[in-house]
Amino acid sequence: MELTQSNNPYNEDIIRISKFAKAMSHPVRVYILRKLSGMNSCCYSGDLVNELPIGRSALSQHLKELKHAGLIQGEIKAPYIKYCINRENWEKAVELCKELFVSTRIELLDSETAL
Amino acid sequence: MELTQSNNPYNEDIIRISKFAKAMSHPVRVYILRKLSGMNSCCYSGDLVNELPIGRSALSQHLKELKHAGLIQGEIKAPYIKYCINRENWEKAVELCKELFVSTRIELLDSETAL
DNA sequence: CATATAGTTCGTAATATTACGAACAGAATA
DNA sequence: TATTCTGTTCGTAATATTACGAACTATATG
């Protein structure tokens, strides 16, 4: 099958979901997102280096990738950089997941009410 | 930091989420999962080859990856193979996402009620 | 049995991911 | 100003991902 403008089967949502998933496809990045996704949570690169078995440069690359994916943002608090979730894009990701899981929405709601 | 048995920061959930995300990190695989995740939905490899700009062998690799991740399963209906979602693992993935998005649960519920 | 059909596996090549240490940039501090 | 601290970028190497076509397996069909 030939890919043209008119018959592109990968719509905007599919591309967004795959990019979001790619950003979350490494344990280090999931760890960071989990840490940051709590209400008002933030952290510094140094915190992560102490918690994780990874070097500073590799960690910096992971942070860069999460920034590039729009999922986190860094605020300079010299000499540190304070990282936190990019709420707008994070909620967009939540939306996309919700849409994908729409067929299992019944189960989702069941477990929500059980909380 | 050294990684030992006792201080492994990547727990089971983190590993599972990253593996699930990896399985969803390519547009072809998101397309397949979206197609199959609807109630009682299924498809054949031939359907996908006709819908997507990808060869049979590459598609087969993507299907293999989704199978390996436990997200889909194939049932032989010779000469075809009928693919569908592996509901058990799919719902586990929903659980993990829900847990990750727990901090944005308020927004999630808001949009649920709006449906 | 010969052939066609559906799909997988293999071999290969191009590109992407991941990690490390060294070198670097910028700000705080002695 | 020299030094220290935090974090990024660069260069490099190992490994993983992705795609293709050819060859293969298995089943259905003439």
Side-chain angles (χ1 to χ4, degrees):
Chain A
M1 183 193 167
E2 199 188 350
L3 183 60
T4 66
Q5 186 76 12
S6 58
N7 70 358
N8 185 348
Y10 312 126
N11 65 36
E12 196 60 33
D13 278 2
I14 287 177
I15 297 298
R16 279 195 190 135
I17 292 172
S18 63
K19 283 184 178 169
F20 170 57
K22 193 170 190 176
M24 301 205 34
S25 68
H26 192 287
V28 166
R29 297 195 293 267
V30 173
Y31 180 96
I32 295 168
L33 289 174
R34 270 166 62 109
K35 190 181 182 72
L36 297 183
S37 64
M39 285 297 186
N40 304 321
S41 187
C42 68
C43 75
Y44 299 93
S45 178
D47 301 340
L48 296 168
V49 167
N50 289 328
E51 293 168 24
L52 303 175
I54 193 176
R56 282 175 304 153
S57 61
L59 176 63
S60 184
Q61 283 179 73
H62 286 300
L63 289 168
K64 189 183 185 180
E65 207 161 328
L66 288 172
K67 266 186 287 184
H68 191 74
L71 294 175
I72 68 170
Q73 53 196 308
E75 182 192 351
I76 295 170
K77 293 234 175 186
Y80 303 92
I81 296 171
K82 180 177 160 186
Y83 287 102
C84 61
I85 287 283
N86 179 324
R87 288 288 161 196
E88 190 182 341
N89 292 331
W90 182 251
E91 279 159 30
K92 178 63 189 171
V94 174
E95 275 302 303
L96 289 169
C97 268
K98 184 172 67 66
E99 183 204 303
L100 182 65
F101 292 144
V102 71
S103 68
T104 42
R105 191 155 51 86
I106 293 151
E107 290 90 333
L108 190 69
L109 286 169
D110 282 352
S111 48
E112 289 284 353
T113 54
L115 284 175
Chain B
M1 185 194 165
E2 197 188 353
L3 183 61
T4 65
Q5 186 77 14
S6 59
N7 70 357
N8 184 350
Y10 311 127
N11 65 35
E12 195 61 33
D13 278 1
I14 287 176
I15 296 298
R16 278 194 190 137
I17 292 173
S18 64
K19 283 184 178 169
F20 171 56
K22 194 171 191 177
M24 301 205 34
S25 68
H26 191 287
V28 165
R29 298 195 291 269
V30 173
Y31 180 96
I32 295 168
L33 288 174
R34 270 166 62 108
K35 190 180 182 73
L36 296 183
S37 64
M39 285 294 185
N40 304 318
S41 188
C42 67
C43 76
Y44 299 93
S45 178
D47 302 340
L48 297 167
V49 168
N50 290 326
E51 292 168 25
L52 303 174
I54 193 176
R56 283 175 304 154
S57 61
L59 176 63
S60 185
Q61 283 179 74
H62 286 300
L63 288 167
K64 189 181 183 180
E65 207 161 326
L66 288 172
K67 266 187 288 185
H68 192 75
L71 294 175
I72 68 170
Q73 53 196 309
E75 181 192 349
I76 294 170
K77 293 232 174 187
Y80 303 92
I81 296 171
K82 181 178 159 183
Y83 287 102
C84 61
I85 287 284
N86 181 324
R87 287 289 160 196
E88 189 182 342
N89 292 331
W90 182 252
E91 279 159 30
K92 178 63 188 171
V94 174
E95 275 303 302
L96 289 168
C97 267
K98 183 171 68 65
E99 183 204 304
L100 182 65
F101 292 143
V102 69
S103 68
T104 42
R105 191 154 51 85
I106 293 151
E107 291 89 332
L108 190 69
L109 286 170
D110 282 350
S111 47
E112 289 284 354
T113 54
L115 284 176

